[in-house]
Amino acid sequence: MRVVIGGGSGFVGRELIRLLKTKGHEITIISRQPGPGQITWADVESGGLPPCEGAVNLAGENIMNPLRWWNENYKNDLFSSRINTTRILAQAIAASPTPPHSWVLVTGVACYKPSLQNQYTEESNWTPFDFLSRLVKEWEGAGQLPENCAKKTRQVIIRPGAVLGRDGGAMKQMMIPFWLGLGGTLGSGRQPFPWIHVSDLAGIIAHTLEPHEGPPSTEPDVFNGVAPALNTNYEFTKELGSALKRPTIFPVPGFFLDVVLGSERAVILTQGQKVVPKRTLESGFEFQYPDLTSAIKEIVGYK
């Protein structure tokens, strides 16, 4: 299978490419810069989508970039880097004489309102309520194919939680303070912590790229990209500290995160949602790392 991946040079993209290549698939990356096995977004806009059976978009400015202050310029970059690239790919798919059979867009669980009680599955209704949920709404809307195209191409939306892995994502920024014994809960620690190991997220994407049996749908198939375990920030903190054999006695107050990150961004850390991968499990996908213990042991390198 030939797969085109927008944003394929990032943390999730690298893991996805590794997995797809082990399955014998041929990969083309869409990037800002040309290179071997790569084309640019301008190439897609001017020349259309290269022949492929699957298309994935992972592109987007890192929302937790520690080098960017939370201001209007940064928020505009978060929107444009996701929505513009998604729209380019969706329009190229719609215009292709031989469109791919699968179009996979990876967004996020920020569409679900933080709650200590509610559980969310892929069937849960939601409406935008803050900056991040509005971002997800416009992002997913930009990927919607016209009805006549949707009958030829299966549309998939995957909503991951915090992506955990050795080489990037949330863990990369947390490992140093934890190694130094400075790790601790964020805010109250009681907030849900939806998460997924990067290998499982890549696996879900690869799973949904496979030819789909059944009648075509004009609406996207949604899959929650989270582990089946329901954990809190406190449980995650204690599990990571235990694996590293380090104390976790320095909680980070919520107001401090609001000041450093900006309150609209800090909610990612200080609030959370109980998200269940109902359809993901029903689709037959099997998680390699269904619980925190197995995921963190793999990440920190302990057996």
Side-chain angles (χ1 to χ4, degrees), residues 186-213:
L186 303 178
S188 71
R190 294 168 51 238
Q191 68 272 27
F193 180 69
W195 63 274
I196 187 168
H197 191 287
V198 66
S199 295
D200 281 328
L201 179 55
I204 294 170
I205 298 169
H207 183 65
T208 60
L209 280 169
E210 296 295 333
H212 178 65
E213 295 182 4

Side-chain angles (χ1 to χ4, degrees), residues 98-119:
T98 55
H101 59 66
S102 297
W103 158 223
V104 181
L105 176 62
V106 180
T107 61
V109 296
C111 58
Y112 305 124
K113 196 168 187 176
S115 171
L116 295 178
Q117 289 82 33
N118 295 338
Q119 284 193 16

Side-chain angles (χ1 to χ4, degrees), residues 124-145:
S124 298
N125 293 321
W126 63 278
T127 54
F129 57 91
D130 66 355
F131 171 80
L132 295 174
S133 57
R134 289 194 298 274
L135 171 57
V136 175
K137 185 74 172 178
E138 292 194 33
W139 192 1
E140 294 183 357
Q144 185 82 34
L145 298 178

Side-chain angles (χ1 to χ4, degrees), residues 172-243:
K172 191 171 186 179
Q173 296 174 20
M174 289 188 286
M175 289 295 273
I176 292 176
F178 269 84
W179 268 117
L180 295 174
L182 301 175
T185 55
L186 303 178
S188 71
R190 294 168 51 238
Q191 68 272 27
F193 180 69
W195 63 274
I196 187 168
H197 191 287
V198 66
S199 295
D200 281 328
L201 179 55
I204 294 170
I205 298 169
H207 183 65
T208 60
L209 280 169
E210 296 295 333
H212 178 65
E213 295 182 4
S217 171
T218 56
E219 292 299 316
D221 291 332
V222 177
F223 298 93
N224 285 334
V226 295
L230 292 173
N231 297 109
T232 63
N233 174 262
Y234 174 85
E235 291 167 341
F236 168 76
T237 300
K238 294 305 176 185
E239 193 72 50
L240 180 56
S242 174

Side-chain angles (χ1 to χ4, degrees), residues 2-237:
R2 296 167 296 182
V3 181
V4 172
I5 303 175
S9 58
F11 171 49
V12 177
R14 294 192 301 270
E15 182 69 15
L16 176 61
I17 289 168
R18 183 197 64 76
L19 175 61
L20 292 176
K21 284 187 173 180
T22 64
K23 295 176 177 287
H25 300 314
E26 180 183 322
I27 310 300
T28 299
I29 296 173
I30 310 174
S31 183
R32 284 174 287 190
Q33 302 295 329
Q38 294 185 182
I39 58 176
T40 66
W41 292 102
D43 292 335
V44 177
E45 283 191 282
S46 60
L49 193 70
C52 62
E53 289 71 50
V56 181
N57 195 24
L58 299 166
E61 170 77 25
N62 178 9
I63 201 164
M64 298 304 290
N65 186 342
L67 304 179
R68 296 290 302 270
W69 286 106
W70 190 255
N71 54 34
E72 290 305 313
N73 285 338
Y74 185 33
K75 289 194 279 187
N76 288 337
D77 286 347
L78 293 174
F79 262 78
S80 61
S81 62
R82 288 162 171 76
I83 292 164
N84 292 350
T85 56
T86 299
R87 189 172 288 126
I88 289 169
L89 262 176
Q91 290 174 347
I93 291 168
S96 174
T98 55
H101 59 66
S102 297
W103 158 223
V104 181
L105 176 62
V106 180
T107 61
V109 296
C111 58
Y112 305 124
K113 196 168 187 176
S115 171
L116 295 178
Q117 289 82 33
N118 295 338
Q119 284 193 16
Y120 298 100
T121 71
E122 295 87 346
E123 287 91 1
S124 298
N125 293 321
W126 63 278
T127 54
F129 57 91
D130 66 355
F131 171 80
L132 295 174
S133 57
R134 289 194 298 274
L135 171 57
V136 175
K137 185 74 172 178
E138 292 194 33
W139 192 1
E140 294 183 357
Q144 185 82 34
L145 298 178
E147 187 173 338
N148 63 315
C149 302
K151 292 179 179 178
K152 303 174 187 174
T153 300
R154 181 194 185 198
Q155 302 176 87
V156 174
I157 290 172
I158 299 173
R159 296 175 182 153
V163 184
L164 309 181
R166 293 187 190 189
D167 302 321
M171 294 296 290
K172 191 171 186 179
Q173 296 174 20
M174 289 188 286
M175 289 295 273
I176 292 176
F178 269 84
W179 268 117
L180 295 174
L182 301 175
T185 55
L186 303 178
S188 71
R190 294 168 51 238
Q191 68 272 27
F193 180 69
W195 63 274
I196 187 168
H197 191 287
V198 66
S199 295
D200 281 328
L201 179 55
I204 294 170
I205 298 169
H207 183 65
T208 60
L209 280 169
E210 296 295 333
H212 178 65
E213 295 182 4
S217 171
T218 56
E219 292 299 316
D221 291 332
V222 177
F223 298 93
N224 285 334
V226 295
L230 292 173
N231 297 109
T232 63
N233 174 262
Y234 174 85
E235 291 167 341
F236 168 76
T237 300

